Amino acid sequence: MSPESKKLFNIIILGIAFMFMFTAFQTCGNVAQTVIRSLNSTDFHGSGYTSMYIAVFIQPFAWFFYTASVFIGIAAAVLWTAQGNCLTINSDEHTIGRNSGIFWALLQSSLFFGNLYIYFAWQGKTQISESDRRTVFIALTVISLVGTVLFFLIRQPESENVLGEDESSDDQDLEVNESAQNTMAKAVDAFRKSLKLCVTREMLLLSITTAYTGLELTFFSGVYGTCVGAVNKFGTEEKSLIGLSGIFIGIGEILGGSLFGLLSKNNRFGRNPVVLLGILVHFIAFYLIFLNMPGDAPIAPVEGTDSTAYISSSKEVAIFCSFLLGLGDSCFNTQLLSILGFLYSEDSAPAFAIFKFVQSVCAAVAFFYSNYLLLHWQLLVMVIFGFFGTISFFSVEWDAAAIVARGSDYRSI
């Protein structure tokens, strides 16, 4: 197998492994609030903790939920930092866009498969029984463990032509010296690099964009499905529509990841048009959701809500908005992965660690306020962050393009 084929193989295995894990995890996130409400009425080492978190729902206890949530936060930090590093070392300046698109399309295929099962299994049900819950979450736990095992198939790429690698003897000597350091020293060094990196102009600007992806991640993965399932006007299909909503989010994600991956090689206009498309698609989705969903849908009781929206609530519009949410999310995340891998190719781990830290903090904040704010306020928060996040991304991309035009190294910004 040639070096290029090995790198592409690694990217595909990486994407498939994440697809299995997140078939379980994203399906779990999409139905978690609905399941909990039903209960109330009645170095990829982090991947194993994801399986543990999903298994909590088989026989749930309050203290176990909180403990598992802590572990899943630790796991996400390890998992996504390793993912970013793996993506970077298996890419070069010509393939980083393509590989980001391939990975994202495979990852988001997870939204399709798990939610397809939810749609058919929960069709016509207004309450989730103990038997239904156990069947779903035992299956999801096994699926996530399969994804964990797949990580062991990833191979070490050839050292030549790796994105950001200098072939000079000085760099080779540096690698030898770094390998001689002990693990604790490396960890402290990586932490220091992250602190220095997070206050640079480029990372501060990209953090605004990343913050927006954290807010909208919480919205489409946890809040919107709950809103759809809470609208009593949808009838007996309201719970199965949660699964259908997840399917169409997945279709939007897969379409976006595939399209931008294929076009990246011939894209002469940079990343800004894709991000612009993403924010326009999201603004359309937010406006339609504002019109179509009752304002109290995110905080409705287990019985659902009979409140009226600005228009007569339509299942078709709700599902179309799911597709738009997925498509817009793929626009932002594929371009963020691409620009981070390109800008910080020589030492990608701190950059991806900051990316995931900011995204996770904002996702946690969004989960907190989603239990208290009416729908229109949640949409307003995302519109504000989305606008400024888009402007900040444009600024970084313009600076990078100007340096490239002058013939300088893109990574020097």
Side-chain angles (χ1 to χ4, degrees), residues 258-274:
S258 303
L259 182 63
F260 306 137
L262 289 172
L263 294 180
S264 63
K265 218 169 187 181
N266 300 316
N267 185 7
R268 293 175 293 176
F269 304 102
R271 300 172 179 86
N272 284 348
V274 178

Side-chain angles (χ1 to χ4, degrees), residues 160-216:
E160 56 182 1
N161 295 328
V162 173
L163 178 58
E165 184 171 311
D166 232 334
E167 295 183 4
S168 67
S169 59
D170 290 341
D171 286 344
Q172 291 174 356
D173 292 339
L174 183 61
E175 289 180 5
V176 172
N177 291 333
E178 286 180 349
S179 64
Q181 295 176 352
N182 60 61
T183 304
M184 182 59 70
K186 287 183 179 180
V188 172
D189 183 56
F191 182 69
R192 287 174 178 169
K193 287 181 179 178
S194 297
L195 291 179
K196 291 179 181 178
L197 186 61
C198 70
V199 295
T200 61
R201 178 179 180 274
E202 292 77 26
M203 186 55 73
L204 287 173
L205 288 171
L206 289 177
S207 292
I208 302 173
T209 315
T210 303
Y212 171 66
T213 65
L215 299 179
E216 54 98 5

Side-chain angles (χ1 to χ4, degrees), residues 367-382:
F367 266 115
F368 173 77
Y369 70 60
S370 68
N371 292 317
Y372 303 98
L373 294 183
L374 295 174
L375 180 62
H376 56 273
W377 292 117
Q378 297 191 39
L379 293 172
L380 178 61
V381 170
M382 288 190 293

Side-chain angles (χ1 to χ4, degrees), residues 1 3-17 44 86-87 89-90 103 106 150-151 153-158:
M1 185 181 290
E4 279 302 314
S5 297
K6 185 182 288 186
K7 292 175 188 175
L8 183 58
F9 173 82
N10 286 342
I11 295 297
I12 292 172
I13 291 297
L14 180 69
I16 293 174
F44 294 93
C86 182
L87 179 66
I89 65 175
N90 284 283
F103 168 76
L106 288 170
L150 285 175
F151 286 127
L153 297 180
I154 295 176
R155 306 176 184 182
Q156 182 69 28
E158 300 292 336

Side-chain angles (χ1 to χ4, degrees), residues 279-298:
I279 199 62
L280 292 177
V281 166
H282 269 177
F283 281 178
I284 293 170
F286 296 157
Y287 182 64
L288 291 176
I289 291 169
F290 172 73
L291 295 177
N292 192 54
M293 289 286 168
D296 63 345

